[in-house]
Amino acid sequence: GRPANRFVASFLGSPTINQLAARARRDLAGRIEIELPGLGRFPIEASQLADPAAVAWVGVRPEHLSLTDQTDPSALAVQVEMVERLGDATIIYMRHDTVPATLALKLAGALDLPLRPGDWIHVRPAPSHVLLFAADGRLCTSGTAERAA
């Protein structure tokens, strides 16, 4: 299920969810686009979101980020901080000057790329798995920001 708010989301999973300051807007075709100030923008699948202006944060679980390249219009450029190879999974810890926390990407299996700290890579969120949060931390769902139960 989906967490009711940012506080709950911060405890779920390992590594924990990536939380980023964001703005949302509806384009002329009615699609929702998320802007991460200083980092980039990407479309999401949330056409039922009643009030994009309510969105202040996005949450993306590490397993819902994937590697891409700079030609991808949804690519976010980040710098590798550390690569943790766990056998059944690979976790890439990343940073960007505009984001105060370390970000994490979790891939199933081994990673063939020889990544080193300081390397720049491009990642993209899975549009259907982005969580939207209001400024007060409530989850924004299809319709409006909902109160936590």
Side-chain angles (χ1 to χ4, degrees):
R2 294 179 176 250
N5 56 53
R6 281 184 61 212
F7 179 74
V8 172
S10 70
F11 290 101
L12 301 176
S14 179
T16 58
I17 194 167
N18 298 298
Q19 295 188 44
L20 303 145
R23 291 191 290 262
R25 69 176 186 86
R26 191 178 308 275
D27 68 14
L28 296 176
R31 295 176 300 238
I32 301 292
E33 183 178 71
I34 299 297
E35 179 186 354
L36 304 176
L39 191 56
R41 57 182 73 214
F42 58 91
I44 61 166
E45 296 172 14
S47 59
Q48 301 303 310
L49 183 65
D51 184 13
V55 175
W57 296 90
V58 297
V60 182
R61 297 183 200 280
E63 60 271 21
H64 295 148
L65 281 175
S66 59
L67 292 171
T68 188
D69 63 44
Q70 63 191 24
T71 63
D72 184 332
S74 298
L76 307 174
V78 291
Q79 198 169 23
V80 174
E81 197 167 79
M82 182 178 87
V83 178
E84 188 174 14
R85 299 174 197 279
L86 304 173
D88 66 335
T90 301
I91 301 172
I92 303 171
Y93 294 95
M94 307 157 294
R95 66 177 176 265
H96 191 277
D97 290 344
T98 63
V99 180
T102 297
L103 304 173
L105 176 151
K106 186 175 184 179
L107 300 169
L111 177 68
D112 294 344
L113 297 174
L115 295 177
R116 293 181 308 277
D119 287 350
W120 284 90
I121 59 173
H122 294 85
V123 300
R124 72 173 316 211
S128 61
H129 290 284
V130 173
L131 299 174
L132 307 173
F133 297 101
D136 65 4
R138 291 177 295 155
L139 182 66
C140 298
T141 59
S142 59
T144 59
E146 294 182 347
R147 288 260 174 235

